[in-house]
Amino acid sequence: MTVLKFTIVLLVCHWNVLSQASDEAIENVNIKEVDHSLWQLFTEGKQEQTLVLFYLPQNCAGCDAALETLTLTAGQPEIPKDLTIGKSSDLVLAEKLGIETFPSLLFLRQSTYVIYDGAYDIENVLEWIQQAVRQSTHQLDDSSFEHLTQASSGATTGDWLVAFYKESCAVCKRLLPVIDSLGVRVQDKINVAKVNTEVSPVLVERFKITRCPEIIFFKHGKMYRYELPKIDVPSLRSFVDGFYKNIRAESVPIPKSKFDYLTEHLADLIKFYIF
């Protein structure tokens, strides 16, 4: 059975798409049309919405069914009024977005996108679109991490899955859409967050972050490092749903106070002058 995926993308493009359930309601998208608009989306933070299905015209067992479902999606009352619907068989564009499986449905939001991981029926697609519209992933840093997560005090704000990444690392940035996609699916159960380690040195030291990316699940004062070789939505969901119990639990380190940093600095000075 072929594994199929949908992809929904929020693109800043001005396509005239008819709101009716027919092939004419689906606009063709290619790299010439969207390249500049993607750049605008990343740099200007615009949020016009577009739903795009990536498919292969030939040798794709589920692409016809996916296109049919996408056509039925157009004009549904559950769809946001400003949502544009498109389709693309442009492999260059698919590669730019990291798409490797066809069909794929992607929802691009500001600087990232979320990936549909469900069945192709119209009910599941519509439900996912309504979930994907919500921005469910938190961006944390040295100043906001403990306040929002309360990780060391028992996490009264709930459980947190946090991805530590480097903004300058291409491999890490490919992870971000997966994290955002997970956030869509578990938004009513756990909190999902991202930390750019290049601007959060305190958190890097506190949690001993030595690789990129590093994913840690915080639950009831304990932390569990994600060590599975594959990083995708199903694997991450399995991890937070219970597989984390197979990982060695670590106590969440308490944040250092200003006094702690002062005493450490004095100790370093003493070592320097003595030795």
Side-chain angles (χ1 to χ4, degrees):
M1 180 177 180
T2 304
V3 176
L4 304 174
K5 290 193 283 185
F6 270 113
T7 309
I8 296 182
V9 186
L10 291 173
L11 304 174
V12 183
C13 302
H14 299 288
W15 298 305
N16 295 320
V17 178
L18 301 177
S19 295
Q20 59 183 21
S22 67
D23 288 340
E24 287 73 22
I26 312 301
E27 184 75 12
N28 286 309
V29 182
N30 59 53
I31 193 66
K32 293 180 181 178
E33 291 173 323
V34 303
D35 192 43
H36 179 64
S37 294
L38 281 172
W39 173 254
Q40 285 183 327
L41 186 67
F42 294 149
T43 57
E44 299 176 12
K46 295 180 180 179
Q47 298 183 38
E48 294 182 22
Q49 303 178 68
T50 302
L51 175 65
V52 176
L53 174 68
F54 287 87
Y55 69 100
L56 297 177
Q58 298 177 342
N59 301 320
C60 179
C63 287
D64 288 342
L67 284 167
E68 182 179 353
T69 297
L70 185 68
T71 301
L72 293 173
T73 300
Q76 296 293 327
E78 297 90 343
I79 295 294
K81 294 182 179 179
D82 59 346
L83 180 67
T84 301
I85 301 179
K87 62 182 179 180
S88 179
S89 58
D90 189 330
L91 297 182
V92 176
L93 176 57
E95 183 179 3
K96 277 180 170 286
L97 296 171
I99 298 169
E100 299 178 347
T101 305
F102 298 89
S104 266
L105 223 265
L106 230 155
F107 202 92
L108 183 63
R109 308 181 304 186
Q110 290 188 328
S111 60
T112 187
Y113 57 85
V114 292
I115 308 165
Y116 180 67
D117 62 338
Y120 301 70
D121 60 274
I122 185 66
E123 291 81 8
N124 279 307
V125 172
L126 290 175
E127 179 183 7
W128 182 79
I129 291 173
Q130 295 174 74
Q131 293 174 334
V133 168
R134 297 169 56 187
Q135 186 67 38
S136 54
T137 307
H138 304 265
Q139 185 73 46
L140 305 178
D141 55 25
D142 286 341
S143 62
S144 62
F145 184 92
E146 190 60 31
H147 173 70
L148 291 178
T149 67
Q150 301 177 19
S152 63
S153 60
T156 57
T157 58
D159 302 332
W160 288 76
L161 184 83
V162 183
F164 296 83
Y165 71 98
K166 289 183 179 180
E167 183 69 29
S168 61
C169 175
V171 175
C172 282
K173 292 188 74 172
R174 281 292 180 98
L175 162 72
L176 300 185
V178 177
I179 297 301
D180 286 329
S181 300
L182 176 71
V184 169
R185 286 303 197 185
V186 301
Q187 58 188 268
D188 297 323
K189 299 178 181 178
I190 69 169
N191 303 287
V192 176
K194 301 174 288 188
V195 172
N196 180 7
T197 58
E198 293 176 322
V199 295
S200 303
V202 174
L203 293 175
V204 171
E205 178 187 358
R206 178 182 173 188
F207 297 117
K208 302 295 185 291
I209 305 300
T210 59
R211 59 182 179 177
C212 175
E214 177 91 68
I215 301 174
I216 302 178
F217 184 41
F218 296 88
K219 185 179 182 68
H220 299 161
K222 300 292 183 180
M223 50 185 277
Y224 306 84
R225 298 181 190 269
Y226 185 86
E227 299 175 349
L228 300 178
K230 191 171 185 179
I231 300 177
D232 59 11
V233 174
S235 299
L236 290 170
R237 289 187 70 177
S238 175
F239 183 74
V240 298
D241 285 343
F243 191 84
Y244 71 89
K245 297 175 183 178
N246 297 302
I247 307 299
R248 182 178 67 87
E250 303 176 43
S251 296
V252 177
I254 298 175
K256 292 181 180 179
S257 65
K258 292 182 179 180
F259 180 76
D260 293 328
Y261 285 107
L262 176 61
T263 54
E264 286 183 359
H265 180 63
L266 290 175
D268 290 338
L269 287 176
I270 292 173
K271 291 180 181 177
F272 176 79
Y273 285 107
I274 291 179
F275 299 103

